[in-house]
């Protein structure tokens, strides 16, 4: 990751811990490499023998490992929190789906009942209409000829004179 990309990246606990360790181990300005190999000293023996073993400072390496472990622990804790939150959201969603399914079933039942009532009402309306036609026909059949004669008499018969 380039230095500019590191600056542009959103800061997080893990990144800041690792960057502090990296910056603490930079030997010279502009040096971008952390060296864990032993450095040869200028005090090599003059007889051409093996150079004396350099003294190693492992505290910075141990600090770096501890900070990395802390960053991993923090990441794992966050992952566990997110998993628990996800389980909670999934449980709520499942409960909501169950409620919606119950509501849908009840609504479908109500629609079915309404359709049955509408069919029965339509059948009653057709039956009532056929009875009205029968009554109409019976009235005009029974009273139709008498009504015509009664209506014809006043128009062709006596007239009132004052």
């Amino acid at each position: 990751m380039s230095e500019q990309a590191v600056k542009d990246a959103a800061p997080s606990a893990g990144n800041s811990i690792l960057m502090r360790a990296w910056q603490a181990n930079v030997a010279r300005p502009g040096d971008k490499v952390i060296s864990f190999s032993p450095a040869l000293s200028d005090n090599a023996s003059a007889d051409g023998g093996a150079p004396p073993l350099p003294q190693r400072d492992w505290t910075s390496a141990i600090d770096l490992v501890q900070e990395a472990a802390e960053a991993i622990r923090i990441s794992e804790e966050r992952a566990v929190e997110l998993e628990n939150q996800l389980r909670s959201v999934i449980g709520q969603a499942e409960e909501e789906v169950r409620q919606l399914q119950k509501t849908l079933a009840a609504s479908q039942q109500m629609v079915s009942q309404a359709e049955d009532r509408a069919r029965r009402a339509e059948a009653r309306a057709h039956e009532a209409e056929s009875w009205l036609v029968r009554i109409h026909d019976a009235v005009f059949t029974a009273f139709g000829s008498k009504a015509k004669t009664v209506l014809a008499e006043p128009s062709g018969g006596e007239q009132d004179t004052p």
Side-chain angles (χ1 to χ4, degrees), residues 2-26:
S2 71
E3 191 173 326
Q4 183 62 34
V6 170
K7 289 178 186 176
D8 292 342
S12 70
N15 286 343
S16 63
I17 290 172
L18 294 175
M19 285 305 298
R20 277 187 278 135
W22 178 74
Q23 291 169 347
N25 288 321
V26 174

Side-chain angles (χ1 to χ4, degrees), residues 22 25-27 30-35:
W22 178 74
N25 288 321
V26 174
D31 189 2
K32 304 270 194 247
V33 178
I34 300 173
S35 176

Side-chain angles (χ1 to χ4, degrees), residues 38-57:
L40 294 177
S41 65
D42 295 334
N43 298 335
S45 62
D47 62 350
L53 291 175
Q55 205 168 17
R56 296 182 183 181
D57 182 22

